[in-house]
Amino acid sequence: MRTRSGAKAPDIGPRPAPARPGPLDFPQYQVQGDLSAAHQHAQTLDQLFLGLEKNVSAQHVEALNITLLEERTLDLLVPEGYLPPSTWLQDPSLATESSEKGQDEAASNQKARGYEHESFYQRARELLLRNDDCFDSLPGKPGARRPPPVKLSHANKFYQNLLFMAEFWDTSKDNYETKEDGKELYTGRRYGGGHEMPSHYREDTVGAFVELCVWPFRCNLQNPRSSVSRKLQFRKQYYPIQSISSAVCRNPTDRQKARKGILEGPLIGIHCRNTTTFRTASDAKGEGKEEIISLLFEVGGALLIAQKRAREGKEEEKPWQDRFWALAGKRHLGEMGGGRQDLETNASARREIEATKSGVEPMDDVETDQKDHDSDGKESKKRRIQGPKQAYLATKPPESQWESKMEYCAIGKAPGAGYDNIYLISSLNHHISLVHIRIDDRYLDFITHGPAQADFDPSTQEWWSLEVQRSKWFDLLDPDDRGEAMRGVWGVMRWMMRDVVGGG
């Protein structure tokens, strides 16, 4: 049997030594927002962010007025009364009512609390198992102990993906041995360094972990169906946020919608980056370019989730929808109607007018006598030069920025709140972190449309700020960290899915 990395199954050796594990690194960029400094950039944001990809700097963070607070405890990130108590990591049959009393106010009564505790513990107890026991319990794993040491019901998919990640990150079994001929042999689990791991391994592992946590809330993961849906609207520009690998969404109660694959939300964004080095040798901690980029990607991902949630009850603005070249079926040319014959006549007329203005003879669609040849020297079909008429017929309107099978709604947002609480599950290396950002509606409007819509006055608008709160980095290879991370995700989901009067 071969693993997804193409190598033999893990724990089989000795074999040629993989790359030595590098130092485990995380961004350590520190920033404290300054409203007066941000006001200086407020009216020139378009120009400042125009060359973002090539000239990223601390000025971009300063312009957005970002304050970063790290190592926040879960009880500070999750609203009071919604974080499951640590006793929920124990068997509910052993927990006493007194240990839970006063710690959990989200459930309406003891019966509901007991049911939810049982559902939580059924999943958490599998995350708290030893990695080796779970890996040996996976179906089809060569060399595994039989009978399987444990039985996995909910976390099977997670451990399958975690095993692939462990092939690059788990150093617990590393053993290097140098032979007499100078060759270095290795026994252990890894087949490469962490920097060599394909990015989708991390996305699949984090996605399986989050899916395990949100499934009891009638929620699922939605993977963006196109790269267009992962673009942040920044005035008249669109910035791709490809690090948003998926999002937590709610399954509709309407059966017809559910059969069509329609989802509601989004609730939580999942942010994964494949970067393992954040500064050069000459950079001090907190001064690396990748550290700034990492923070901007997280903020951009949160703004993208906020923009999608703000689409509730709205229709997509399509400036091109009334243009003649974007009409469905190309049945007519703007003010000139008619069938296909009229279309070709009008297209020819337009071509002749444009050619006359430019002094160039109009050109029809023609076939050349030249023939293309493939790599074997054989003649292929004749090339066809596309004339203006065929070019027009092939013109398509821009792809929609909205997902077709998504009902956008701000689930968990109180009506008239004036702000939205955005949560991200951010992942680096083999770790995840819970990120919370409160985004004012006026801030989001200013980012999306500009000062004309937000009536921005730099001297008085205190809302122009973002406070990014991040938990510690939870190690997915550590059972105890997995349990704590599940408490955080579960608490956010309980709060998001609470009953909100008049809410989505």
Side-chain angles (χ1 to χ4, degrees):
M1 176 182 175
R2 302 177 73 86
T3 65
R4 278 167 59 181
S5 61
K8 292 182 179 179
D11 304 331
I12 298 178
R15 57 183 182 274
R20 293 271 183 173
L24 196 62
D25 196 14
F26 294 95
Q28 300 186 31
Y29 185 70
Q30 300 293 328
V31 58
Q32 180 68 38
D34 186 347
L35 188 61
S36 60
H39 284 161
Q40 297 177 7
H41 301 287
Q43 302 298 342
T44 59
L45 280 178
D46 294 29
Q47 292 77 12
L48 179 63
F49 280 83
L50 190 59
L52 178 63
E53 296 179 358
K54 298 181 180 179
N55 303 312
V56 63
S57 68
Q59 279 191 339
H60 296 94
V61 179
E62 186 181 82
L64 296 176
N65 198 20
I66 298 173
T67 297
L68 177 60
L69 303 174
E70 297 192 283
E71 297 291 332
R72 307 290 279 180
T73 58
L74 292 177
D75 58 337
L76 294 177
L77 292 174
V78 180
E80 183 179 0
Y82 291 90
L83 180 67
S86 57
T87 55
W88 276 26
L89 295 173
Q90 304 171 6
D91 191 333
S93 62
L94 303 177
T96 62
E97 182 179 350
S98 59
S99 65
E100 296 181 7
K101 189 175 182 181
Q103 298 183 38
D104 179 28
E105 301 176 359
S108 59
N109 51 57
Q110 183 64 29
K111 183 178 180 180
R113 183 163 58 247
Y115 175 79
E116 188 182 2
H117 184 183
E118 176 67 28
S119 180
F120 176 92
Y121 178 72
Q122 287 177 356
R123 292 159 176 79
R125 69 182 179 86
E126 295 186 11
L127 294 178
L128 295 173
L129 296 172
R130 294 176 63 251
N131 292 338
D132 289 341
D133 291 343
C134 296
F135 293 158
D136 284 343
S137 301
L138 296 176
K141 181 179 180 294
R145 288 172 284 170
R146 292 293 180 264
V150 296
K151 181 179 180 181
L152 299 175
S153 301
H154 302 282
N156 195 298
K157 181 179 177 182
F158 167 71
Y159 281 110
Q160 285 179 343
N161 288 285
L162 186 66
L163 176 59
F164 302 138
M165 177 181 280
E167 291 181 12
F168 296 88
W169 287 103
D170 188 1
T171 60
S172 62
K173 295 182 177 295
D174 279 6
N175 182 25
Y176 290 85
E177 181 181 357
T178 303
K179 296 296 184 181
E180 296 180 357
D181 57 1
K183 292 184 179 180
E184 191 176 42
L185 296 180
Y186 168 85
T187 55
R189 178 166 283 141
R190 293 189 307 110
Y191 282 86
H195 63 283
E196 300 173 321
M197 185 183 76
S199 59
H200 64 88
Y201 282 15
R202 180 178 296 102
E203 295 173 2
D204 293 344
T205 304
V206 176
F209 175 84
V210 175
E211 193 172 34
L212 178 148
C213 299
V214 304
W215 184 258
F217 295 92
R218 196 169 50 84
C219 292
N220 209 339
L221 291 188
Q222 179 252 2
N223 296 315
R225 291 176 171 82
S226 68
S227 59
V228 177
S229 62
R230 288 185 284 184
K231 288 186 177 181
L232 171 67
Q233 183 181 351
F234 192 93
R235 313 292 173 81
K236 296 183 179 180
Q237 306 173 48
Y238 287 90
Y239 291 95
I241 312 292
Q242 302 299 338
S243 55
I244 295 294
S245 59
S246 56
V248 177
C249 298
R250 184 176 65 185
N251 294 314
T253 55
D254 189 314
R255 292 185 179 181
Q256 296 298 328
K257 292 182 179 179
R259 289 172 181 171
K260 295 178 181 179
I262 296 175
L263 296 172
E264 301 169 346
L267 284 82
I268 305 174
I270 299 179
H271 172 274
C272 299
R273 290 201 71 210
N274 212 31
T275 305
T276 57
T277 303
F278 299 94
R279 64 193 68 85
T280 62
S282 60
D283 292 332
K285 290 185 177 180
E287 298 180 356
K289 181 178 179 180
E290 281 295 333
E291 294 178 298
I292 300 175
I293 293 176
S294 182
L295 177 60
L296 289 176
F297 263 118
E298 282 184 334
V299 172
L303 290 171
L304 176 60
I305 297 297
Q307 285 184 350
K308 292 185 176 184
R309 288 168 60 86
R311 294 171 182 172
E312 181 177 2
K314 301 178 182 178
E315 294 185 1
E316 183 179 10
E317 297 179 2
K318 299 179 180 180
W320 62 85
Q321 62 184 356
D322 294 328
R323 303 292 181 89
F324 69 90
W325 46 266
L327 295 172
K330 301 289 174 51
R331 291 187 296 273
H332 53 80
L333 289 167
E335 69 280 358
M336 295 183 292
R340 182 174 181 83
Q341 184 175 359
D342 291 337
L343 170 64
E344 295 179 355
T345 303
N346 293 332
S348 300
R350 285 181 179 271
R351 182 175 67 248
E352 292 176 2
I353 294 174
E354 293 173 359
T356 303
K357 291 180 179 179
S358 60
V360 180
E361 290 293 329
M363 181 178 65
D364 293 324
D365 298 339
V366 296
E367 285 189 356
T368 66
D369 293 333
Q370 299 176 352
K371 296 182 178 180
D372 289 334
H373 295 77
D374 56 24
S375 58
D376 298 331
K378 298 180 181 179
E379 292 185 354
S380 59
K381 295 181 179 180
K382 292 183 178 181
R383 288 187 296 115
R384 184 177 182 84
I385 298 178
Q386 193 177 58
K389 180 169 60 178
Q390 294 301 324
Y392 165 75
L393 293 174
T395 302
K396 296 181 180 179
E399 188 175 353
S400 174
Q401 305 291 329
W402 294 24
E403 293 102 323
S404 59
K405 293 189 177 182
M406 173 68 76
E407 283 193 2
Y408 295 108
C409 52
I411 299 172
K413 179 181 178 181
Y419 58 86
D420 199 2
N421 288 285
I422 304 300
Y423 284 92
L424 292 180
I425 297 172
S426 185
S427 178
L428 289 173
N429 302 323
H430 50 94
H431 299 70
I432 61 174
S433 176
L434 188 62
V435 179
H436 170 246
I437 306 178
R438 175 172 289 189
I439 302 178
D440 194 288
D441 292 347
R442 293 166 293 181
Y443 188 105
L444 185 66
D445 189 56
F446 185 76
I447 287 292
T448 307
H449 303 291
Q453 281 73 16
D455 192 19
F456 185 70
D457 183 0
S459 62
T460 61
Q461 305 297 344
E462 295 284 339
W463 49 261
W464 181 251
S465 64
L466 288 179
E467 186 177 77
V468 182
Q469 300 186 70
R470 184 202 308 283
S471 71
K472 62 169 283 189
W473 289 99
F474 298 102
D475 187 353
L476 289 178
L477 293 173
D478 184 280
D480 292 334
D481 275 10
R482 292 196 293 261
E484 285 299 300
M486 181 178 176
R487 284 182 62 221
V489 177
W490 194 280
V492 172
M493 289 301 300
R494 295 177 83 193
W495 182 75
M496 284 282 191
M497 297 294 290
R498 73 195 188 284
D499 291 332
V500 179
V501 178

